[in-house]
Amino acid sequence: MILTTKWHGRGHWCASFSSTDIPVIKPRKKIGVIKVANESYTESELNTKKANLSASRKERIQLPNYGGDNYGGKKLHIGEFLSHPSAIEALLNTNALKSFQCLCPNTYRCTLQRVKLLNFEAAPVLDLRVTPTNEDCTVEMLSCKFEGSKIMEHQNNHFTAFMRNRLSWDTNDADSFLEVDVKLNLILEIYTRPFTMMPVSAVERPGNLMLQALLDRLVPLLLQQLLQDYCKWVHQQLDPVP
């Protein structure tokens, strides 16, 4: 760029620039803004973590020998008892339930007593299928949900549970026994803080211990109650109420 001066009359100088030397200033390109569609995602969708919890318990007990001369020559095996309606009530422990409903043959809805914790309360509702055969009897959980506080009912969307309890027996007179094999699985969605910040193992380890402790306590109680109801049923068959 060159600056030139010229003398004008009356004592004035005039400065001017050469037009060929004036730099051309190009307009800056407009920076485009990329717009992101406003899609709403739930917190559980953004932080998808699932803990797989499991526990199992197998136990075998000796069965009393209900038969022979002391019982009128009848052989009242455990298999006959487990195919009887009274055994279904014993297996499902209906005396401890809030309500018990038969949905269809071999399928039952069991509502447990409400559990209160802080300001929340909920009653677990289980749909169970009982399948007796000549060799065993299987109890399967078809669904599990909570009824009660809204925040507890909301948890129904964030977990799935499966339970299978198989009872098998050997009715040889020398060594009659009943074996129980229970498996419990729970898939829990981790979607709230601070658990989303932790590794899945931080939830699975204590969860597995809790489920195992639950089965270790409940399975012996189930067997004890089952034998008591079996004994009661045997005596009812021998001495029917008129």
Side-chain angles (χ1 to χ4, degrees):
M1 182 175 63
I2 301 174
L3 174 65
T4 61
T5 60
K6 292 183 180 180
W7 173 259
H8 289 266
R10 300 180 183 179
H12 295 287
W13 289 87
C14 178
S16 64
F17 294 91
S18 176
S19 60
T20 57
D21 297 326
I22 298 177
V24 179
I25 302 176
K26 296 181 180 180
R28 181 179 295 178
K29 292 183 180 180
K30 187 177 181 181
I31 300 175
V33 179
I34 300 175
K35 294 184 179 180
V36 179
N38 185 19
E39 297 182 2
S40 59
Y41 294 94
T42 62
E43 189 175 357
S44 61
E45 291 172 335
L46 295 175
N47 302 281
T48 303
K49 286 186 178 180
K50 292 184 178 180
N52 292 277
L53 311 180
S54 63
S56 62
R57 171 81 182 219
K58 182 181 289 187
E59 191 160 335
R60 177 171 170 165
I61 60 172
Q62 190 80 24
L63 284 173
N65 186 10
Y66 293 127
D69 296 336
N70 295 332
Y71 295 91
K74 295 182 179 180
K75 296 287 186 179
L76 301 174
H77 296 306
I78 188 72
E80 298 178 50
F81 167 65
L82 291 175
S83 62
H84 195 271
S86 59
I88 304 299
E89 297 181 3
L91 281 172
L92 303 181
N93 197 15
T94 57
N95 292 330
L97 299 176
K98 179 182 178 182
S99 64
F100 173 70
Q101 178 185 2
C102 181
L103 300 178
C104 61
N106 296 336
T107 304
Y108 308 89
R109 175 160 295 168
C110 304
T111 303
L112 281 66
Q113 300 293 337
R114 285 181 176 257
V115 177
K116 293 184 179 181
L117 179 62
L118 300 177
N119 294 327
F120 311 117
E121 63 176 17
V125 180
L126 312 178
D127 287 350
L128 303 172
R129 179 172 59 205
V130 182
T131 308
T133 69
N134 294 330
E135 299 178 352
D136 59 14
C137 181
T138 304
V139 181
E140 293 179 287
M141 183 166 63
L142 304 179
S143 69
C144 175
K145 64 179 182 178
F146 293 102
E147 291 183 352
S149 303
K150 290 184 178 180
I151 191 171
M152 294 301 299
E153 292 184 353
H154 179 68
Q155 304 306 313
N156 293 328
N157 301 322
H158 300 286
F159 84 98
T160 56
F162 173 78
M163 185 275 296
R164 186 174 184 269
N165 178 15
R166 180 177 180 268
L167 298 93
S168 58
W169 54 84
D170 186 349
T171 55
N172 294 327
D173 293 337
D175 186 18
S176 297
F177 66 87
L178 175 67
E179 184 174 272
V180 178
D181 186 4
V182 183
K183 291 181 173 60
L184 179 61
N185 297 93
L186 180 65
I187 301 176
L188 182 65
E189 184 178 335
I190 305 172
Y191 67 99
T192 57
R193 293 191 177 186
F195 302 106
T196 54
M197 310 294 291
M198 302 178 181
V200 175
S201 59
V203 177
E204 290 181 337
R205 289 174 183 173
N208 288 332
L209 292 175
M210 182 185 68
L211 288 185
Q212 190 61 55
L214 180 65
L215 286 189
D216 290 344
R217 176 176 174 80
L218 292 181
V219 170
L221 293 177
L222 170 65
L223 285 174
Q224 181 181 1
Q225 184 63 48
L226 194 61
L227 287 182
Q228 291 178 0
D229 291 336
Y230 176 36
C231 179
K232 180 180 178 180
W233 175 80
V234 168
H235 288 88
Q236 288 176 346
Q237 302 307 305
L238 296 175
D239 300 313
V241 178

